[in-house]
Amino acid sequence: MAAPMELFCWAGGWGLPSVDPDCLAVLVSGAPLGRRGKKRRRWDLPLPCRITPVALALQKYNADYDLSATQGADTLAFVSLLEEKLLPVLIHIFWVDAKNYVEHTRKWYAENIPFPLNFFLPNCMHKQHLERLQLMWGDGYMEDEEKLEKELYRDARECLTLLSQRLGSQKFFFGDSPASLDAFVFSRLAPLLKAKLPNGKLQQHLKSLQNLCNYCTSILTRWRRTPTNGATSCCQCWWGWQPCWAMPS
Amino acid sequence: MSLVAEAFVTQLAEEQILLSDNASSLAVQAFLQMCNLPVRVVCRANAEYMSPSGKVPFIHVGNQVVSELGPIVQFVKAKGHSLSDGLDEVQKAEMKAYMELVNNMLLTAELYLQWCDDVTVEEITHPRYGSPYPWPLNRILSYQKQWEVRRKMKAIGWAGKTLEQVLEDVDQCCQALSQRLGTQPYFFNKQPTELDALVFGHLFTILTTQLTTDELSEKVKNYSNLTAFCRRIEQQYFEGHDKDSSTTVAARSAKRSLLR
């Protein structure tokens, strides 16, 4: 059995075990969170950089044991697709779009980060995300509404549609058992699906793809029911601000 | 509606062009050859500034200018030529995903090697990039470009990587491509698609460009089906144009054919 590890992650919210996509991917992957127990909140988590290292790390916990070589290659390809086309737009929706950031994201983080960090940490994260997007898309991308709508949102919508077509009517991307790609896709889609965003253009497109919505719901339900390495998860943990695991006897 | 008879691919001048731009340019040329569209390669020192997106290559067809492979594929499709019409929805999704894999890993690794690896920067990149310009403009422009690329690398989390880690990423990417290709002639069996053009552009350039070390090309050579794939596409789409120096791949400086 793999050595248990202590996980530092952002707390849960919006009906999810964690609001941060990278933390969510690790949580639902079934990576061993063992006897040490506490899934602790940390306010000084570094800004998540590219998920590829996390996706590859997930594979080391045997999430992909049953996959063929081609399916492993497909995993890497779809992770790249999500990172290039969907993730930047998600960052824009949650952290840069004025309405969403002020009324939703900043509000949540300010309420959940202790004093005095809650006064400046959300803004700091907002600036880091904005700078990252400006480097990727050009400094003036916010002013060019047409480019934003036509190219960037269009690419993100196309990415969601491609995921939906690839998933089809299957339960998971590679048959009946979940793999690391499922954890990764879920971690990107679930916040978009569950958060109550004032400006939810991409959210509406996701909700129109019924198989992806059912997919996210079934993974959430499955995660709720599955004990992790002997530690029993407590359903109330997602709602309260003191997440805990029942210690194995 | 047929495409205008002459489209030309504009890229940086032959002594100036770098690994990543060469790969992107070759991918576009391969794509247009696969579509059976005549193409003329034109080299300009200021191609980056002429491009609408700031990136090379771009095609100039009639009075329209389109840059980068993705928009060029869309443009050519709008004119009635497409390589991926025969694919079903699942295959199209996979094709797009693998194209992003190549952009995400191979292209970024090429950029890292040429702008963030100090030895390569000093010996190859700075001399080549600034070669059309007099001193001090040559140094100013290349430092400016280096600063820009390093900022982008930092934004995407690659600045902290070592060369060994980058080569490891290239190896994983090649492994994924090799597994997907298998023993088929092309990625989607019988006919080439834009994915084949993109993969050929990058792999052929890596295999045939002389750098300070051979480590990058050795990673690709580990996969025999990938080198065979490159050889097959070179023979089928480029060998016939050997006499025409404006389109031949072998005419470029610091290049050698895979057949030698």
Side-chain angles (χ1 to χ4, degrees):
Chain A
M1 183 175 143
M5 62 181 182
E6 194 175 9
L7 179 71
F8 295 99
C9 64
W10 288 103
W14 318 329
L16 299 171
S18 174
V19 297
D20 178 76
D22 293 337
C23 302
L24 201 53
V26 178
L27 284 170
V28 298
S29 70
L33 300 168
R35 297 186 64 90
R36 283 292 305 277
K38 293 269 187 229
K39 181 185 74 173
R40 288 195 268 158
R41 295 164 299 155
R42 285 285 295 268
W43 314 121
D44 57 351
L45 287 176
L47 207 60
C49 51
R50 298 190 86 102
I51 190 62
T52 313
V54 178
L56 295 173
L58 290 177
Q59 290 173 9
K60 288 183 191 160
Y61 286 98
N62 287 335
D64 294 345
Y65 186 73
D66 293 324
L67 295 189
S68 68
T70 311
Q71 288 172 329
D74 285 351
T75 300
L76 212 55
F78 277 96
V79 164
S80 298
L81 178 69
L82 281 164
E83 264 198 81
E84 288 293 319
K85 297 292 179 191
L86 188 63
L87 181 61
V89 178
L90 289 181
I91 292 174
H92 172 83
I93 286 171
F94 279 92
W95 286 98
V96 179
D97 180 86
K99 217 164 181 233
N100 288 339
Y101 171 63
V102 167
E103 293 177 23
H104 181 265
T105 313
R106 187 174 69 180
K107 186 164 169 281
W108 188 91
Y109 278 83
E111 285 170 4
N112 288 281
I113 297 175
F115 176 86
L117 293 170
N118 59 335
F119 283 110
F120 57 87
L121 203 57
N123 211 28
C124 191
M125 292 165 74
H126 160 77
K127 281 186 186 150
Q128 280 181 313
H129 282 114
L130 178 61
E131 192 190 332
R132 184 179 167 183
L133 292 183
Q134 282 173 334
L135 281 171
M136 288 169 71
W137 290 340
D139 285 337
Y141 92 89
M142 290 280 299
E143 281 81 41
D144 194 348
E145 284 286 335
E146 204 192 308
K147 178 182 172 176
L148 187 65
E149 179 55 44
K150 266 190 159 173
E151 290 181 20
L152 305 169
Y153 270 89
R154 183 199 60 198
D155 285 345
R157 280 193 288 265
E158 192 192 0
C159 178
L160 291 175
T161 310
L162 289 172
L163 281 176
S164 175
Q165 285 163 355
R166 178 65 179 78
L167 180 66
S169 53
Q170 294 176 122
K171 217 167 150 197
F172 299 104
F173 277 94
F174 298 121
D176 289 331
S177 317
S180 61
L181 179 62
D182 298 287
F184 187 77
V185 170
F186 171 77
S187 71
R188 288 333 188 226
L189 299 186
L192 184 63
L193 191 62
K194 292 287 185 184
K196 292 181 174 50
L197 298 168
N199 185 2
K201 281 183 279 194
L202 193 63
Q203 195 176 46
Q204 282 157 19
H205 183 78
L206 175 58
K207 286 182 177 169
S208 73
L209 299 165
Q210 201 51 46
N211 64 341
L212 288 182
C213 298
N214 294 343
Y215 169 78
C216 290
T217 313
S218 79
I219 289 185
L220 209 52
T221 317
R222 184 190 172 99
W223 191 83
R224 232 176 245 177
R225 286 200 213 114
T226 309
T228 313
N229 278 350
T232 315
S233 69
C234 166
C235 291
Q236 277 70 45
C237 290
W238 301 347
W239 308 101
W241 306 131
Q242 292 296 331
C244 66
W245 299 93
M247 297 296 281
S249 52
Chain B
M1 183 182 179
S2 65
L3 202 58
V4 173
E6 207 178 63
F8 60 94
V9 173
T10 310
Q11 62 177 29
L12 296 168
E14 282 197 19
E15 299 75 28
Q16 182 193 21
I17 197 166
L18 297 170
L19 180 64
S20 57
D21 294 330
N22 215 354
S24 304
S25 177
L26 187 58
V28 167
Q29 288 175 59
F31 172 72
L32 293 172
Q33 296 280 14
M34 287 170 183
C35 291
N36 231 0
L37 295 168
V39 60
R40 187 159 62 92
V41 178
V42 174
C43 297
R44 292 278 185 276
N46 60 339
E48 273 182 317
Y49 305 105
M50 290 162 72
S51 164
S53 67
K55 292 182 186 168
V56 290
F58 63 90
I59 60 169
H60 180 204
V61 181
N63 61 353
Q64 287 176 295
V65 179
V66 185
S67 65
E68 297 180 74
L69 181 65
I72 289 173
V73 168
Q74 295 301 319
F75 175 79
V76 166
K77 190 172 175 178
K79 298 289 183 187
H81 302 262
S82 172
L83 296 177
S84 51
D85 276 346
L87 301 183
D88 63 35
E89 300 299 343
V90 171
Q91 287 175 317
K92 277 187 186 161
E94 286 173 2
M95 182 189 76
K96 297 237 157 112
Y98 276 93
M99 287 178 76
E100 289 309 322
L101 176 68
V102 172
N103 286 329
N104 191 352
M105 284 195 157
L106 281 186
L107 178 61
T108 315
E110 288 161 6
L111 284 170
Y112 178 95
L113 193 66
Q114 69 199 28
W115 290 108
C116 301
D117 175 50
D118 293 328
V119 174
T120 311
V121 165
E122 271 311 309
E123 290 186 23
I124 296 178
T125 311
H126 277 323
R128 283 184 76 88
Y129 188 76
S131 59
Y133 308 108
W135 185 90
L137 191 59
N138 57 348
R139 296 302 268 183
I140 293 170
L141 288 177
S142 57
Y143 275 117
Q144 187 184 43
K145 179 78 179 177
Q146 183 181 12
W147 180 77
E148 209 179 283
V149 172
R150 284 192 177 185
R151 273 180 76 211
K152 279 197 181 142
M153 289 290 156
K154 197 173 162 197
I156 60 175
W158 277 59
K161 289 194 179 190
T162 62
L163 186 60
E164 286 69 35
Q165 285 170 323
V166 169
L167 291 172
E168 181 59 37
D169 285 345
V170 169
D171 186 55
Q172 268 162 3
C173 179
C174 290
Q175 188 181 24
L177 290 172
S178 176
Q179 281 160 356
R180 187 64 179 83
L181 181 66
T183 51
Q184 299 173 124
Y186 301 109
F187 279 92
F188 293 98
N189 204 12
K190 298 192 179 70
Q191 296 298 329
T193 58
E194 45 266 38
L195 172 62
D196 299 277
L198 182 66
V199 171
F200 169 74
H202 283 275
L203 294 187
F204 187 90
T205 308
I206 288 173
L207 286 167
T208 56
T209 303
Q210 284 162 339
L211 296 169
T212 52
T213 67
D214 282 335
E215 282 173 319
L216 188 62
S217 58
E218 286 304 318
K219 292 289 176 196
V220 179
K221 283 179 190 167
N222 285 338
Y223 301 95
S224 57
N225 63 341
L226 292 181
T227 46
F229 167 80
C230 290
R231 198 173 293 124
R232 189 182 315 121
I233 293 195
E234 187 199 9
Q235 281 175 320
Q236 198 164 351
Y237 293 101
F238 289 94
E239 284 293 294
H241 299 277
D242 262 347
K243 293 198 177 116
D244 180 357
S245 65
S246 65
T247 54
T248 186
V249 165
R252 293 212 188 88
S253 60
K255 285 218 166 289
R256 56 188 185 275
S257 165
L258 282 178
L259 295 179
R260 284 184 214 141

